[in-house]
Amino acid sequence: MSGFSSEIVVGIDFGTTYGLDTQRIAKELILSRHSGVSWAVNGGSKVIRLINNWPDPTAQNASKDKVPSSISYVNGKPQKWGYTVGLTDESFKWIKILLEENHKYITTVEPVKDSNQLLTKVDKKAHEVVADYLRLLWDYTLDDIQRFHPNFRDIFALRVVLTVPAMWSPAAKDKTLQAARLAGMPSPIKLVTEPEAAALATLRDKADDGALNAKDAFVVCDAGGGTVDLISYEIQQLNPLKIKECAIGDGGLCGSVFLDTTFQKYIETLVGEAQYNAIKETNRKKMMKEFEYGIKRTFSEKNDQTYSVDLRGVKDDYKNNVIDDTITVTIDALRVVFDHVALQIENLISEQIAQVSEKGLLVKVTTHPDHKNGDLLRLWQSILLVGGFGENRYLYDRLLKCHSSDGIQVMQVNGAWSSICRGATMWGLEHSELNNSVTRPDSPNESPTVTSRLSRYSYGMVFDQPYDERFHRIDEVYMSYDDGAYLARDQMEWLLKRGDEVEEGRILETSCEQIVKVGFFDKGMEMFSSELFYNDEAIPPSRLSESKSRTPLILVTQLIQNQLSVPSAQSITG
C-alpha cells in the first residue's frame, strides 16, 4: 500500500479447458472450460464489477460472464486466447491439471495426456503455458479497469486473489503462484479455494435474509467444467456472519465436460466407430453443440419427452432410431450418460456429509423465497450447488432424490457460474490491509468471514532426535561428535497434522538447533533454512524414509515460517 491512497482487489477464477490440437482435429471436439474475473475498489460502497465483455469474434455465446481458458500457439509462441481460439488452432486441454504433479488423471484421461505431450512440442512447462494465458487475461483486466479509472495506476495499488481447487496440493499452489508472477501480476498474490470463494459470494445474502441459523452446517459443492470441489462449514454467528470449516475439503475430476465425452462415446458406439470417424468433423461438432445447448441444459429426472440430435451424413438405422440424419436418444440412454458423472458427485457429497455428522453437527441450511407468494418458505437444506455445472437440472434432481429420505435438500443459486471469481474479490476485500468492511461500510474493522479451516495436509520438518529404543530403529542411530549422545537421524516432527484446525492468523512455530560454521572474524547474520515437508495420509509417517511426499516445500505456504537466522557472535561464543 506504500505510495497509494487506496487499492483495487481483483479476483480471478482460473478454470480448466478441454480443447483441441490440430493433430486430432478429425477426432476431437473443442469444448472449453472458462475463467472469470471480477474487481472492486476497496473503498466506498465496494461494488464488485464482473467482467462480461470478453472479445468474441463469433458472438455465439450469449453469456460472457466467463472466457474460455484456452490458448493457441504458432511456432511456440502464444497467438490467440479465449473466444478467439478457433477449431483449427493448436490449443491446450486441461493444462490446469498438469500443475498438480503426479496427478492420477495425467495418465488416465486422454485430454490431459495429450496436453502433457504437447508441452514438449512447444518446449514449455505447464506453469509457463498457464502464465502465457494468465498474462493475456491480466492485460485485458487492466484495460477493463482503465475504462472506469483512467488514472488507476497512479492512484490504486493492485491486489490479486487467485482461486484454486480445494484438493490442490501445496506444490500445485506454488506452481500457480509462479505462473501468476510470470504473467506480470503484482505481488503479493493470494490464493483461496474455489468452494470457499463461492461460499462467500452466496452465503452473505442468505444471512442478511434471515435464512441461516447458528450451529447449522452445510456442504458447498462447486461443480465446474473439469473439477468438482467440496467443502463444509458450520455457522458460528450471523451478524456479522462467521463460519468455520467442519470437514476436510475433497474433490474429483467429474465436471460437466465428462457429460460431453460420455455422450460422444455413446453416439460413436451407437452408429459404429468406423462410420462415426468417417463423418465430417464439422457435422460432429454441430451435433455436440446441439447436446451442449439443448439436451445437456434441459434434461432432468422429471422429463419424459423425446430428445434428438442431428448428425448429417449418418446412415439410416431404424432399429436404433437413426432416420434422416436425426438420432433419437432414449431417456434411459440419457440417464446412463448423466449418471456416469452424477453418481461420482453423489459419492463425494455423501463423504462430506458423513464427516460433518461424525462431529455431531446437524446438516441443514437455509430458507429461500417462495416465488408464488413472496413469503419465505422454510427448507432444511445442506447442499449448496455453485459453479457452472451446479446449475444443471439433472444434477439438482438427482441429488434431491438421493437425499430426500434423510431430510437433506439441495439449493441452487443465481449467478452460480460467476460466484467463484466474485467470491475471490470479496475474500481479498476481507483480508485487505485497509481492514475495512466488505459489504457494510458503516461497521468498520470487520474480520474475515471464515474464522478457521481444517488442514488438508500434514506439514513437518526433519530432526535428529535423542535415541529411544521404544520408538527408533537401530539403523537410524549414530553418536554425536559434539557431546557423545546417541541420536536417531531423519525423524519427522509434524507442526500441523491433517485435519487440525487452523484459526485465521495463527502462527505455527517450533524450536530447533543447528550447527553453523563461521569464521573467527565473521560478522553479521548467518542465515540457514530447514526443508518443510508435507503428507496427505491420515496418519503421517514418523520418519522421512516413510514419507509419501519427498518434495521439500520451502515458503510454499505462509502458515509456517522456516527461515531462521543466528548472529555470528553467538555462534562463536555459544
Side-chain angles (χ1 to χ4, degrees):
M1 289 299 298
S2 177
F4 296 97
S5 59
S6 188
E7 65 182 1
I8 291 177
V9 177
V10 182
I12 300 176
D13 170 23
F14 171 49
T16 308
T17 291
Y18 176 91
L20 171 80
D21 91 50
T22 55
Q23 301 303 314
R24 304 174 65 91
I25 188 170
K27 297 182 180 180
E28 291 190 39
L29 171 73
I30 182 167
L31 296 166
S32 294
R33 300 305 100 189
H34 297 70
S35 296
V37 180
S38 66
W39 58 270
V41 175
N42 193 3
S45 60
K46 303 179 182 177
V47 175
I48 294 177
R49 166 168 167 75
L50 175 67
I51 298 180
N52 56 10
N53 58 344
W54 301 104
D56 182 2
T58 62
Q60 292 180 349
N61 191 338
S63 176
K64 300 290 182 61
D65 286 356
K66 285 190 173 185
V67 60
S69 306
S70 181
I71 183 170
S72 66
Y73 286 80
V74 173
N75 297 325
K77 295 183 179 180
Q79 184 192 41
K80 301 176 182 178
W81 72 288
Y83 291 109
T84 64
V85 176
L87 193 62
T88 59
D89 295 318
E90 188 170 54
S91 64
F92 277 87
K93 312 175 289 291
W94 297 77
I95 190 63
K96 177 179 176 180
I97 300 299
L98 296 180
L99 294 177
E100 183 70 271
E101 288 187 1
N102 302 320
H103 197 291
K104 62 181 179 180
Y105 296 115
I106 291 178
T107 58
T108 59
V109 176
E110 197 66 28
V112 185
K113 292 167 61 177
D114 291 344
S115 284
N116 201 24
Q117 295 171 1
L118 190 58
L119 287 174
T120 303
K121 185 174 181 179
V122 298
D123 193 25
K124 285 180 177 288
K125 297 179 180 179
H127 76 278
E128 292 174 332
V129 174
V130 172
D132 287 339
Y133 175 81
L134 290 179
R135 185 180 300 109
L136 295 166
L137 188 77
W138 179 244
D139 289 344
Y140 191 86
T141 299
L142 295 179
D143 289 342
D144 187 81
I145 294 174
Q146 190 166 17
R147 290 174 52 222
F148 295 86
H149 302 280
N151 299 319
F152 78 92
R153 299 176 190 272
D154 300 324
I155 303 173
F156 299 105
L158 295 176
R159 296 182 62 245
V160 177
V161 179
L162 273 169
T163 64
V164 293
M167 59 183 178
W168 235 218
S169 71
K173 292 177 182 178
D174 187 47
K175 287 189 175 182
T176 302
L177 290 173
Q178 289 181 43
R181 296 187 191 103
L182 284 175
M185 296 180 185
S187 296
I189 301 166
K190 302 294 185 180
L191 300 180
V192 62
T193 65
E194 293 164 359
E196 178 173 329
L200 286 177
T202 55
L203 288 176
R204 281 182 170 270
D205 290 341
K206 298 300 178 183
D208 291 340
D209 291 341
L212 307 179
N213 292 313
K215 301 302 180 182
D216 282 354
F218 57 91
V219 177
V220 178
C221 176
D222 170 25
T227 58
V228 173
D229 290 316
L230 295 101
I231 200 166
S232 300
Y233 292 106
E234 176 189 353
I235 299 175
Q236 296 177 290
Q237 66 178 54
L238 298 177
N239 189 20
L241 179 64
K242 299 294 177 185
I243 60 178
K244 70 175 183 178
E245 196 173 339
C246 60
I248 299 176
D250 198 2
L253 203 63
C254 47
S256 65
V257 71
F258 288 99
L259 291 178
D260 304 294
T261 56
T262 304
F263 181 78
Q264 186 173 357
K265 186 64 177 177
Y266 163 73
I267 296 296
E268 181 181 326
T269 302
L270 185 72
V271 304
E273 182 179 357
Q275 181 185 187
Y276 185 81
N277 290 334
I279 295 173
K280 288 184 178 180
E281 186 273 336
T282 53
N283 292 337
R284 300 201 308 271
K285 176 181 179 293
K286 290 178 181 179
M287 179 200 69
M288 288 304 300
K289 187 176 179 181
E290 273 191 67
F291 174 76
E292 168 75 20
Y293 292 100
I295 298 176
K296 185 176 175 180
R297 303 191 181 197
T298 60
F299 180 64
S300 72
E301 274 277 334
K302 302 175 183 178
N303 284 356
D304 56 2
Q305 69 186 71
T306 300
Y307 292 90
S308 64
V309 291
D310 292 333
L311 180 58
R312 292 188 62 184
V314 66
K315 297 178 181 178
D316 287 351
D317 181 355
Y318 290 90
K319 181 180 178 181
N320 290 312
N321 296 318
V322 182
I323 305 172
D324 295 335
D325 294 335
T326 298
I327 302 175
T328 300
V329 187
T330 66
I331 297 296
D332 289 340
L334 287 176
R335 285 200 179 101
V336 171
V337 169
F338 277 76
D339 284 346
H340 175 72
V341 176
L343 287 174
Q344 297 179 62
I345 299 176
E346 280 183 17
N347 291 335
L348 288 171
I349 291 176
S350 296
E351 290 172 2
Q352 282 285 296
I353 292 175
Q355 284 192 57
V356 174
S357 299
E358 286 177 0
K359 297 191 175 183
L361 297 173
L362 292 176
V363 185
K364 59 181 183 180
V365 192
T366 200
T367 63
H368 69 78
D370 181 346
H371 296 290
K372 293 182 179 180
N373 54 30
D375 296 329
L376 284 178
L377 176 66
R378 190 75 184 173
L379 293 177
W380 298 106
Q381 301 192 11
S382 65
I383 303 167
L384 179 65
L385 283 173
V386 298
F389 194 23
E391 296 177 328
N392 183 268
R393 294 180 62 183
Y394 186 85
L395 179 61
Y396 172 82
D397 290 341
R398 179 80 193 191
L399 293 174
L400 195 64
K401 181 178 179 181
C402 176
H403 295 283
S404 60
S405 61
D406 53 20
I408 297 175
Q409 297 189 35
V410 185
M411 178 175 64
Q412 292 178 312
V413 298
N414 291 326
W417 202 32
S418 63
S419 61
I420 297 174
C421 70
R422 290 185 286 108
T425 300
M426 292 181 183
W427 190 94
L429 292 169
E430 284 191 350
H431 290 77
S432 168
E433 295 178 1
L434 297 180
N435 198 28
N436 286 333
S437 170
V438 179
T439 56
R440 301 176 179 83
D442 58 335
S443 58
N445 300 322
E446 182 180 356
S447 57
T449 299
V450 181
T451 61
S452 68
R453 301 167 183 84
L454 300 182
S455 179
R456 289 156 181 76
Y457 296 91
S458 297
Y459 296 88
M461 301 169 67
V462 180
F463 293 98
D464 292 348
Q465 299 176 348
Y467 174 68
D468 188 328
E469 62 181 4
R470 295 173 300 173
F471 308 112
H472 301 133
R473 301 193 306 240
I474 191 65
D475 61 331
E476 299 170 333
V477 181
Y478 73 96
M479 186 176 69
S480 171
Y481 289 108
D482 296 320
D483 55 11
Y486 288 100
L487 302 175
R489 63 172 57 89
D490 293 342
Q491 304 300 303
M492 295 301 305
E493 180 175 322
W494 298 101
L495 290 80
L496 186 69
K497 291 187 177 181
R498 175 178 167 85
D500 284 353
E501 184 174 346
V502 184
E503 296 179 355
E504 182 80 20
R506 175 186 173 191
I507 297 177
L508 302 176
E509 57 185 7
T510 187
S511 60
C512 63
E513 297 179 1
Q514 183 166 329
I515 297 175
V516 181
K517 294 182 179 180
V518 293
F520 185 78
F521 297 103
D522 286 347
K523 297 180 180 180
M525 304 292 288
E526 293 290 338
M527 304 296 296
F528 67 95
S529 62
S530 298
E531 293 179 328
L532 179 65
F533 293 81
Y534 75 96
N535 183 274
D536 63 358
E537 298 169 298
I539 302 177
S542 60
R543 48 183 56 85
L544 181 61
S545 60
E546 300 172 350
S547 181
K548 184 177 180 180
S549 175
R550 299 298 301 271
T551 304
L553 300 178
I554 300 176
L555 303 180
V556 168
T557 173
Q558 296 184 2
L559 290 176
I560 303 173
Q561 296 179 352
N562 64 325
Q563 192 74 15
L564 308 174
S565 61
V566 178
S568 298
Q570 293 183 13
S571 300
I572 297 172
T573 59

